[in-house]
Amino acid sequence: MRTVEWNEKIGAVRMIDQRLLPGEFRTVEYDDYHQVANAIRDMVVRGAPAIGAAAAFGLALAAKQDRSVRLGELRAYVLEAARLLQAARPTAVNLAWALERMLKVAASFQGGAADLRQAMLVEAQRIADEDVEINLRMARHGAALIQDGDTIIHHCNTGALATVDWGTALGVIHMAFEQGKRIHVLVDETRPRLQGARLTAWELQQYGIPYEIISDNAAGFFLSTGKVQRVFFGGDRMAANGDVANKIGTYMLALAAFDNGIPAYSVVPTSTIDLSLSHGGLIPIEERSQDEVLNIQAGGQPVHPQGAKARNPAFDVTPHRLLTAIVTENGVVYPPYEENLARVVKKGGS
Ligand code: MRU
């Protein structure tokens, strides 16, 4: 099944509860957009494109929940719901991008309120379907960068679970493997939420792709051994100059790759590129609860002294100078990024 999808029978959005993986595969269904906003905030669903699609279905739900007969009233309700959904997670621009697309449908719609409800559901479904198609295009472009026998370091989870299906950076790796290339993946465990150890390892196991989990702070060591050929990660928001906000730890990984002359690639759909921001310093960085850092035990005991405090930025910004190339659905982009990114975004008409 898809990570996020519409269940027509009961008129609800269904998603895989990613908090439970790999121990348990369970799906949850929501028929209230408030629940969808909570699911995004609590990371039932996570990964930039997946939360974009979830928010789109959430807004379609909001339209369905509102009983207004007048178009203007329904529009106002939907706008309010979009604000709530948008506030759920601030860094991944796909969330705002998907909501904007949905609101455009609402704003330009000519007809009755009932028809607008249907039109919004159609648009949400289109966003979800396009995501899968876009990921496959990115995967084909990116797979050409991988050679038979490569060992690749991958950060966070960027696979089918982070998108509607297939994935971004992990989708590229998956495609190269399907093309018959022998690949070995070193999976950054990705503290503190462990998306690598829990989700990427789970996906790779299902695809039959050989992998080993490494602690995040081992990446520099492996890059310095000469036994890693490439580094792949996704992106939650990329500024116009190519600076990219991605899961915390990406910056250190990219620095270590650069220092060792290992190519590092960010794989992002054009919906992740925010041309309104000139550089990465303008990207809002989500800071999550300190409990995500502190709730760790060893031998049944907390690993920190009682009363310890922690900081938990969920993302960091990798400067574009550390990226060898950027993979999008419209092709592989090389420097100068400012010029070339604007061109690929335009090419898709986004
Ligand atoms: O906090 P998360 O798990 O939502 O963060 C996800 C990432 O950082 C991914 O690398 C990113 O969304 C790009 S892959 C689709």
Side-chain angles (χ1 to χ4, degrees):
M1 69 165 285
R2 289 180 169 188
T3 299
V4 188
E5 62 187 16
W6 184 254
N7 182 339
E8 189 58 51
K9 251 195 227 151
I10 58 168
V13 56
R14 175 166 54 195
M15 47 185 92
I16 297 170
D17 189 341
Q18 301 193 33
R19 297 167 307 178
L20 307 177
L21 286 168
E24 192 184 339
F25 183 93
R26 198 198 294 169
T27 58
V28 278
E29 264 150 3
Y30 300 120
D31 58 6
D32 182 324
Y33 80 89
H34 295 92
Q35 296 170 318
V36 176
N38 287 339
I40 294 171
R41 195 175 308 110
D42 296 346
M43 296 173 69
V44 171
V45 62
R46 31 72 46 202
I51 62 178
F57 283 125
L59 207 59
L61 264 182
K64 186 169 165 279
Q65 281 171 255
D66 183 53
R67 299 269 165 248
S68 304
V69 182
R70 288 209 170 111
L71 192 61
E73 283 166 18
L74 176 57
R75 275 193 188 126
Y77 186 88
V78 158
L79 193 63
E80 208 40 53
R83 281 201 194 107
L84 185 101
L85 285 159
Q86 160 79 70
R89 293 197 75 188
T91 302
V93 74
N94 302 63
L95 181 55
W97 170 87
L99 290 170
E100 214 172 283
R101 256 181 78 161
M102 295 290 290
L103 289 176
K104 243 188 221 163
V105 170
S108 62
F109 191 75
Q110 312 271 342
D115 295 333
L116 173 56
R117 291 185 180 97
Q118 186 53 30
M120 289 189 67
L121 184 56
V122 168
E123 184 67 359
Q125 190 60 56
R126 196 175 291 140
I127 288 171
D129 292 343
E130 280 175 16
D131 182 58
V132 183
E133 185 248 321
I134 281 168
N135 292 339
L136 282 165
R137 277 164 56 197
M138 278 195 303
R140 289 189 195 104
H141 290 304
L145 301 167
I146 295 177
Q147 303 206 338
D148 186 32
D150 277 356
T151 292
I152 299 165
I153 296 188
H154 173 275
H155 196 65
C156 195
N157 172 265
T158 67
L161 289 167
T163 60
V164 176
D165 204 355
W166 195 264
T168 60
L170 202 63
V172 165
I173 293 169
H174 189 182
M175 180 63 78
F177 181 75
E178 294 275 297
Q179 290 171 349
K181 293 174 185 165
R182 285 161 298 170
I183 288 164
H184 188 81
V185 185
L186 294 176
V187 177
D188 268 358
E189 61 178 357
T190 318
R191 279 274 292 150
R193 296 282 304 213
L194 300 171
Q195 289 95 328
R198 295 192 304 109
L199 307 176
T200 298
W202 183 75
E203 283 196 41
L204 288 170
Q205 205 149 306
Q206 302 202 31
Y207 309 146
I209 303 175
Y211 74 89
E212 290 164 302
I213 296 169
I214 60 171
S215 62
D216 302 334
N217 46 11
F221 165 76
F222 283 106
L223 287 161
S224 72
T225 62
K227 294 193 173 132
V228 174
Q229 283 71 42
R230 259 155 262 284
V231 168
F232 273 89
F233 45 82
D236 285 81
R237 190 186 302 221
M238 182 171 280
N241 68 348
D243 294 351
V244 62
N246 191 52
K247 180 51 54 196
I248 193 75
T250 305
Y251 174 40
M252 289 202 310
L253 175 63
L255 270 174
F258 189 79
D259 193 47
N260 287 283
I262 313 290
Y265 303 100
S266 175
V267 183
V268 292
T270 51
S271 54
T272 299
I273 302 170
D274 185 350
L275 293 179
S276 75
L277 302 182
S278 56
H279 62 87
L282 300 171
I283 299 174
I285 300 294
E286 173 184 13
E287 181 144 359
R288 295 183 63 85
S289 161
Q290 63 169 356
D291 295 348
E292 292 184 349
V293 175
L294 296 175
N295 284 349
I296 176 171
Q297 300 209 330
Q301 299 290 324
V303 297
H304 50 78
Q306 216 182 356
K309 293 202 179 343
R311 294 291 302 272
N312 186 18
F315 302 95
D316 57 27
V317 176
T318 297
H320 63 272
R321 68 183 168 82
L322 302 178
L323 300 177
T324 307
I326 296 161
V327 181
T328 76
E329 73 272 26
N330 293 333
V332 179
V333 182
Y334 293 92
Y337 291 126
E338 196 140 348
E339 224 171 285
N340 295 339
L341 278 177
R343 192 169 322 124
V344 287
V345 170
K346 216 184 200 168
K347 197 166 153 190
S350 313

